[in-house]
Amino acid sequence: MGMIENPRHQGMRKRLVEGLKIKGIRNEKVLDAIGKVPRHLFMESTFIQFAYKDQAFPIGAGQTISQPFTVAMQTQLLQIEKGEKVLEVGTGSGYQAAVLLEMGAKVFTIERQKELYTKVHKFLPEIGYNPACFFGDGYKGLPNFAPFDKIIVTAGATYIPEDLKKQLAVNGRMVIPVGNEQRQEMNVITRVSEDEFKSEKHGDFVFVPLLKGQ
Ligand code: SAH
């Protein structure tokens, strides 16, 4: 993966954050976190020069690191408070997990591709980020570690997995893109009580698909 951090990277991150503000990201804690995470270290060497463009890029194993705007939007919708327990489905490059950790969350992240899991669970601690990484099927979540205050799904689902709803704390929120292969609507599910859920929609996005099994 990446090279070291230099002052140029800091300048590029500042401009990325300015761009995200213009595109409507208002939460200062989210913008601060994106301003801190060295995104270029999460990219394949071929794409490092584009690390601070607001675009998605390939990270190997047919997967992508999400576009910064998408990361910012999902993180803003989660309404993270310090110390909250967050489950991320789709570790990918580990970038989203790093943003959540910068915001003071306790992060549990699952990846179904062994190659990505192996690379990222070794790499993140090397640059100071310590989520709990799991190799497994995100559709099932992590029942042994539930309940979670927040759940973020970073791949496109065709439906909202019942197992994930069950692992949400009362008053917890889940941010999950739901749709078909071409396009997904960002759903925010709030667990209002033990057996009541409320849902809101927040626009269209394009994710790689959430796949079944490992
Ligand atoms: N959050 C990532 C974005 C990764 S793209 C980042 O910040 O870089 C989505 C990821 O979800 C891919 O790595 C893909 O392998 C993974 N994925 C797809 N289906 C999954 C499943 N059922 N369980 C866990 N991870 C899954």
Side-chain angles (χ1 to χ4, degrees):
M1 284 196 208
M3 303 299 107
I4 44 161
E5 162 97 355
N6 69 40
R8 215 165 47 90
H9 295 124
Q10 231 164 342
M12 289 193 285
R13 270 203 299 284
K14 227 180 226 156
R15 283 195 294 281
L16 171 63
V17 166
E18 290 312 314
L20 293 174
K21 273 190 200 164
I22 291 164
K23 293 177 185 172
I25 303 300
R26 289 281 174 268
N27 185 311
E28 289 293 334
K29 289 189 269 183
V30 172
L31 294 168
D32 282 354
I34 289 178
K36 284 186 187 142
V37 179
R39 183 170 163 91
H40 59 286
L41 300 182
F42 294 77
M43 315 269 294
E44 299 266 299
S45 51
T46 349
F47 297 106
I48 285 185
Q49 76 233 59
F50 305 120
Y52 296 103
K53 291 207 176 299
D54 189 17
Q55 285 175 33
F57 287 99
I59 53 170
Q63 301 305 322
T64 57
I65 177 171
S66 299
Q67 181 184 346
F69 176 74
T70 304
V71 172
M73 186 54 120
Q74 285 198 287
T75 309
Q76 176 165 279
L77 289 170
L78 278 176
Q79 300 178 2
I80 298 290
E81 298 291 339
K82 258 204 180 76
E84 283 184 334
K85 253 173 86 179
V86 181
L87 171 65
E88 178 192 26
V89 174
T91 311
S93 69
Y95 178 73
Q96 172 75 70
V99 169
L100 294 167
L101 287 162
E102 282 289 356
M103 296 183 73
K106 292 194 199 97
V107 180
F108 296 71
T109 182
I110 318 179
E111 173 57 54
R112 71 180 276 285
Q113 295 221 37
K114 195 68 173 266
E115 178 189 335
L116 290 174
Y117 160 78
T118 305
K119 182 159 146 187
V120 170
H121 103 111
K122 186 171 163 287
F123 161 70
L124 283 176
E126 288 171 2
I127 60 164
Y129 293 113
N130 292 286
C133 290
F134 298 83
F135 169 58
D137 180 6
Y139 270 101
K140 302 200 180 95
L142 292 173
N144 296 339
F145 297 89
F148 295 98
D149 301 306
K150 306 287 161 71
I151 298 178
I152 174 173
V153 178
T154 68
T158 50
Y159 63 92
I160 298 163
E162 219 32 59
D163 283 330
L164 294 183
K165 284 171 77 177
K166 279 191 215 144
Q167 291 170 36
L168 207 51
V170 172
N171 293 318
R173 290 162 76 81
M174 167 159 59
V175 175
I176 176 170
V178 184
N180 56 30
E181 290 263 316
Q182 278 73 46
R183 149 188 105 80
Q184 302 89 33
E185 255 188 315
M186 195 63 75
N187 281 242
V188 178
I189 313 294
T190 308
R191 186 167 201 169
V192 182
S193 69
E194 201 49 50
D195 40 34
E196 267 174 294
F197 294 84
K198 144 187 127 187
S199 116
E200 303 160 11
K201 308 225 192 301
H202 291 268
D204 286 348
F205 291 81
V206 182
F207 284 82
V208 296
L210 184 67
L211 300 169
K212 285 266 180 193
Q214 288 177 11

